[in-house]
Amino acid sequence: MPPATPRTARLINDRSAYQLLLDRGPLTRTQLRALTGLSRPTVADLIDRLAAGGLIGRLGESGAERRGPNAALYGVLPDRAHVAGVAVDTHRIVVTRADATGRTVGTAELPVDPGADPTSQVLAALAATEHPASAAATGRPATTVGPRAGEGRAPAGARPAPAEEGRAPLTGEGRALTGARLPPAGEDRALGRRAPLGAVAVGTPGLVDPGSGAVTFAAGLPGWHGDLRSALHERLGVPVLVDNEVNLAGVAEHRIGAARGTDTFCLLSLGSGVGVAVLLGGRMHRGASGGAGEIGYLPYRPGRAPGELPDRDGPDRRSHGPQNRTGGPERPPHGLQSLIGGPALAAVAARYLPGAPPAEPIDAVRAAAETPEFLAELAELVAVAVVGLCAVLDPGTVVLGGPIGHAGGAPLAEAVAAEVAAAIPLPTQVLAGTVTGDPARRGAVITALDLLRDDLFATAPPR
């Protein structure tokens, strides 16, 4: 590997110092020298560069309680740029806007319009978080948001989403300021707007091409197809990532949840549908076409005799035959979705509930989750999927997420672990997911922060 150029070395040093200020709070020059091991002139230069770019500023002084001159404290300026994490489901688009430190500064929610252009809908949701009046804390609908260049006004249906945790912990690397395409600090606030967006990450159901970011198939959103990533990047002019919602939930569990510190694991998301995020060696494995983890399609037909082949003219043929209205294949009628999807598990839960079960499948499972007998049967069913993951990937750790995984909690995870241990000789830790709220949206915010810092501290020369 060739030696780093002076420019690359400066960017690496700047990013290291910026991350320390994010992780530890305001620091003096002396503290930065001690933590980085850099020389006095090098630290002085990097502070000047970061301050000139508006990434850090002088936030106070240390040593006020002692005699002598006080040392200046430098810290990250949170409103230099914002990021947005977007979560899409079949009914709504929810956006969390965060400052450069990961603190939530605004949220908004819009209903999904099946007939409208997906890009326009995401842009409208982003616009609904642009002005301070749209923050969830105000309690007022974000219906008077003015448009940015190239964006539409937020529709009347826009409303603040419920407030959530204030700050997403920042792990991993920070991002540098050199070459950032951001307006001067304070310009947007003077105009009554929030700081500009520096990066956006979107979580969506369905298949997302890992190369282009195009949504190629989403069963519950027939119109939600096309190159969403490129369209948003063209309109916003900032880094944009579009990924499957379960993958982003996996990011959240890896960075701030049950799998923190574990670089190889699977997140099994159990809700209305079933899906898996696969992290191998610290990298998300998406597959050749973005379909890694779509285990709802995995055929499963209990009761067939050993060695019995499927009827070539029977219902099993439908898994490779008919197309649904979005152009993709229907899920197999005897796939894992029919075993551990929300409707299937709700039918199991109904047997353990007095009277009529709740109408929503997830509510029915939650209502029965405290029944030991139901929990035992639920563990047996979930273990079928976990054993399959272990046999193919041997991840060592499986996290149970999604509404049903969270409803079962640690008792379900322990019961599934016992089933897995009895079924396969591979040591496997089964954990309950710990990221609350909307894990996919929290993972989107974390991912957007990574994109922002990668863009600001890019070590490749400008093109």
Side-chain angles (χ1 to χ4, degrees):
M1 180 180 293
T5 65
R7 178 182 181 278
T8 299
R10 287 195 298 271
L11 288 171
I12 292 172
N13 290 340
D14 290 356
R15 183 167 187 159
S16 175
Y18 186 77
Q19 186 63 45
L20 283 169
L21 293 171
L22 280 170
D23 291 341
R24 296 175 178 251
L27 298 170
T28 65
R29 293 176 183 240
T30 299
Q31 290 169 327
L32 277 172
R33 289 202 306 272
L35 291 169
T36 61
L38 299 174
S39 67
R40 182 189 299 267
T42 299
V43 168
D45 287 345
L46 71 83
I47 286 177
D48 289 343
R49 284 193 300 272
L50 294 174
L55 283 183
I56 69 171
R58 183 168 173 167
L59 303 184
E61 295 181 340
S62 68
E65 72 285 350
R66 60 178 176 81
R67 294 183 178 182
N70 298 327
L73 283 168
Y74 295 91
V76 170
L77 297 179
D79 288 327
R80 185 64 179 99
H82 288 175
V83 302
V86 184
V88 180
D89 62 29
T90 55
H91 303 294
R92 61 180 188 160
I93 302 170
V94 186
V95 179
T96 291
R97 190 182 187 108
D99 65 21
T101 70
R103 182 180 62 88
T104 297
V105 297
T107 57
E109 175 182 332
L110 274 69
V112 168
D113 181 351
D117 171 55
T119 301
S120 299
Q121 294 185 69
V122 173
L123 289 172
L126 294 173
T129 68
E130 185 176 321
H131 287 243
S134 70
T138 67
R140 296 194 301 271
T143 57
T144 58
V145 177
R148 294 180 66 176
E151 295 182 17
R153 183 177 298 274
R159 62 183 178 88
E164 57 183 327
E165 291 82 353
R167 174 171 177 167
L170 297 175
T171 59
E173 301 171 337
R175 286 172 74 203
L177 161 78
T178 307
R181 299 165 303 219
L182 300 175
E187 177 179 304
D188 282 85
R189 287 189 295 277
L191 297 174
R193 293 198 301 254
R194 296 190 183 279
L197 284 176
V200 176
V202 181
T204 176
L207 302 182
V208 179
D209 185 277
S212 67
V215 182
T216 59
F217 172 67
L221 293 169
W224 201 261
H225 300 125
D227 196 349
L228 182 62
R229 188 203 67 79
S230 294
L232 289 173
H233 175 68
E234 181 179 347
R235 297 287 291 274
L236 297 172
V238 300
V240 176
L241 179 138
V242 178
D243 204 352
N244 177 271
E245 57 184 345
V246 178
N247 286 344
L248 291 178
V251 169
E253 289 292 353
H254 179 230
R255 299 283 285 275
I256 60 174
R260 189 171 185 176
T262 303
D263 284 343
T264 295
F265 78 99
C266 291
L267 168 69
L268 175 58
S269 180
L270 301 165
S272 297
V274 55
V276 177
V278 180
L279 200 81
L280 302 176
R283 298 179 65 87
M284 191 66 66
H285 178 70
R286 297 176 173 86
S289 60
E294 293 288 341
I295 63 169
Y297 290 97
L298 189 64
Y300 177 80
R301 187 176 182 182
R304 180 182 295 158
E308 179 186 351
L309 297 176
D311 182 356
R312 294 183 60 83
D313 298 316
D316 285 330
R317 294 284 290 169
R318 290 188 294 166
S319 63
H320 300 286
Q323 301 267 309
N324 65 24
R325 59 180 177 159
T326 61
E330 295 282 4
R331 282 196 170 116
H334 300 296
L336 278 182
Q337 173 68 25
S338 68
L339 182 75
I340 56 174
L345 294 180
V348 176
R351 300 202 306 266
Y352 296 91
L353 294 173
E360 288 297 321
I362 303 301
D363 293 337
V365 173
R366 287 195 182 106
E370 296 183 3
T371 304
E373 294 79 8
F374 169 70
L375 201 66
E377 184 170 356
L378 178 61
E380 290 179 9
L381 298 173
V382 172
V384 173
V386 176
V387 169
L389 293 173
C390 294
V392 175
L393 297 171
D394 188 17
T397 299
V398 175
V399 177
L400 304 182
I404 292 174
H406 289 143
L412 175 62
E414 293 168 4
V416 171
E419 294 286 340
V420 172
I424 192 168
L426 299 176
T428 304
Q429 180 179 218
V430 181
L431 303 172
T434 60
V435 179
T436 58
D438 186 339
R441 185 156 37 106
R442 297 189 69 184
V445 171
I446 292 169
T447 299
L449 287 165
D450 288 344
L451 288 173
L452 174 67
R453 295 168 195 150
D454 287 341
D455 186 51
L456 295 176
F457 287 108
T459 54
R463 295 183 180 180

